Amino acid sequence: MKIYLLTRNAGLYSSRRILEAGRYRGHDIRPMDYRNTSLVLEKGKSRIIYNNGTLSLPDAIIPRIGASHTFYGAAVVRQFQMLKVLTAVDSDALLRSRDKFKCLQLLNMQGINMPITGFAGSNNNADDLIKAVGDAPLVLKLLEGTQGLGVLLQDTNKGAKSVLEAFNQVAAKMMVQQFIKESTGTDIRAIVVGGKVVAAMKRIAPQGEFRSNIHRGGRGEKIELSYQEEQAAVQSAETLGLGVAGVDMLISEEGPKVIEVNSSPGLEGVEGCTKLDIAKEIIIYLENEHKRSK
């Protein structure tokens, strides 16, 4: 197959590994900076301009869209889909996953367990929102944050209200989430590819930090998921329509609680601790989807 990897930086670990896996399996796979495209619509036609010319279409694309370029990146993916190019990540699924509250709303509709979560439209509702979620300690999250950025733990209702008010002043959207005490400093990242969990790790925060993200200094340990954890991960990816996803869960006394679904999960931490070839699994998934589409 001819495959384009949509990425801002082909030298990043995840991009490099996917390119290596695709070439190892005999595909013509090449990186493409999706930011350097122009999208053109004409009556009954559409095309993509790249490097001053109309782009030669591949058989498939693998989007690795950065959070700061979600809107345009999704438009590029959608344009490829309009041109009947297979994609590992659907454009609408990408947008659903990037809006954290919308993501949780969709999971909630399917009965998937999660921490109590609230979102309000103004400072005037802060007290009611905090009370509804269950009082401090509370976790506050920017709706568009990534890699643990924009995630704060507040030990008092007053502190939580102050943070909400401050972010509201700069038009930053935040949600308030129940703090799961028994999972402090740990969570689970499950990688789902083609409707099955292909790898999972427990992420453990460094001392003095409640966020367990690898980018925040956390470390990973390979784990085997319980049936309940595996089902929560698979169902979450399916609910959002993601063929490739990283599903983050907290382990509570009530079982797993999903906190986030990532449409471009990083591979370095999970491949490093599990020693599994996740990049190869993504390529095999794309191969199988290509066969089904014929």
Side-chain angles (χ1 to χ4, degrees):
M1 284 193 296
K2 182 178 180 181
I3 305 169
Y4 290 158
L5 175 67
L6 306 189
T7 177
R8 292 178 297 166
N9 185 349
L12 295 175
Y13 178 91
S14 298
S15 296
R16 189 172 72 250
R17 285 286 298 112
I18 291 170
L19 290 168
E20 290 171 354
R23 288 163 184 158
Y24 182 79
R25 293 188 62 81
H27 301 293
D28 176 9
I29 183 170
R30 60 191 71 177
M32 174 185 163
D33 189 339
Y34 56 91
R35 300 170 301 174
N36 294 335
T37 61
S38 298
L39 310 179
V40 181
L41 302 174
E42 301 176 51
K43 184 178 179 180
K45 297 187 294 182
S46 58
R47 55 197 171 104
I48 300 172
I49 307 299
Y50 187 67
N51 288 342
N52 301 316
T54 299
L55 183 70
S56 173
L57 294 178
D59 299 299
I61 58 171
I62 302 174
R64 297 286 304 180
I65 306 299
S68 59
H69 298 279
T70 296
F71 184 83
Y72 188 71
V76 174
V77 174
R78 191 180 304 111
Q79 193 91 341
F80 274 110
Q81 290 179 267
M82 291 169 61
L83 292 163
K84 310 302 181 185
V85 174
L86 177 68
T87 178
V89 178
D90 178 86
S91 60
D92 290 336
L94 167 64
L95 290 172
R96 287 191 288 268
S97 70
R98 288 288 164 82
D99 182 334
K100 287 185 170 62
F101 194 72
K102 181 178 183 179
C103 172
L104 293 177
Q105 285 177 314
L106 295 170
L107 299 183
N108 184 262
M109 289 170 64
Q110 296 301 314
I112 296 171
N113 200 7
M114 64 190 66
I116 300 170
T117 305
F119 180 44
S122 75
N123 289 336
N124 296 333
N125 300 328
D127 289 324
D128 290 340
L129 181 65
I130 289 167
K131 184 177 180 181
V133 173
D135 291 325
L138 293 165
V139 178
L140 280 68
K141 295 182 178 180
L142 282 171
L143 261 62
E144 297 176 350
T146 60
Q147 299 176 351
L149 296 172
V151 180
L152 305 169
L153 176 63
Q154 290 297 308
D155 293 323
T156 66
N157 289 359
K158 183 178 179 180
K161 182 178 179 180
S162 295
V163 171
L164 287 172
E165 291 174 343
F167 277 89
N168 188 262
Q169 290 297 314
V170 293
K173 298 182 286 292
M174 295 203 83
M175 62 185 187
V176 181
Q177 203 162 62
Q178 173 191 18
F179 177 63
I180 307 301
K181 183 178 179 181
E182 58 268 32
S183 70
T184 304
T186 64
D187 68 7
I188 288 174
R189 161 67 62 92
I191 304 295
V192 180
V193 179
K196 65 178 183 179
V197 174
V198 297
M201 67 175 173
K202 177 187 288 186
R203 300 188 299 188
I204 304 167
Q207 188 172 3
E209 173 63 79
F210 82 100
R211 296 170 297 180
S212 55
N213 305 69
I214 300 298
H215 286 88
R216 305 265 71 80
R219 60 183 175 87
E221 292 182 358
K222 182 180 179 180
I223 60 168
E224 295 293 329
L225 298 185
S226 68
Y227 175 78
Q228 192 179 16
E229 292 160 357
E230 187 169 343
Q231 288 300 107
V234 170
Q235 190 179 0
S236 296
E238 289 178 348
T239 296
L240 295 183
L242 289 169
V244 178
V247 181
D248 296 341
M249 298 175 280
L250 299 177
I251 301 307
S252 74
E253 294 171 351
E254 303 171 358
K257 292 180 181 283
V258 176
I259 54 173
E260 189 172 337
V261 183
N262 193 318
S263 55
S264 297
L267 305 185
E268 186 170 10
V270 68
E271 282 196 341
C273 77
T274 64
K275 309 305 178 187
L276 297 172
D277 192 341
I278 300 166
K280 181 182 75 173
E281 296 290 342
I282 293 172
I283 298 298
I284 291 173
Y285 164 67
L286 206 58
E287 292 170 351
N288 292 335
E289 290 298 297
H290 186 247
K291 290 176 185 175
R292 291 192 191 100
S293 66
K294 286 189 172 182

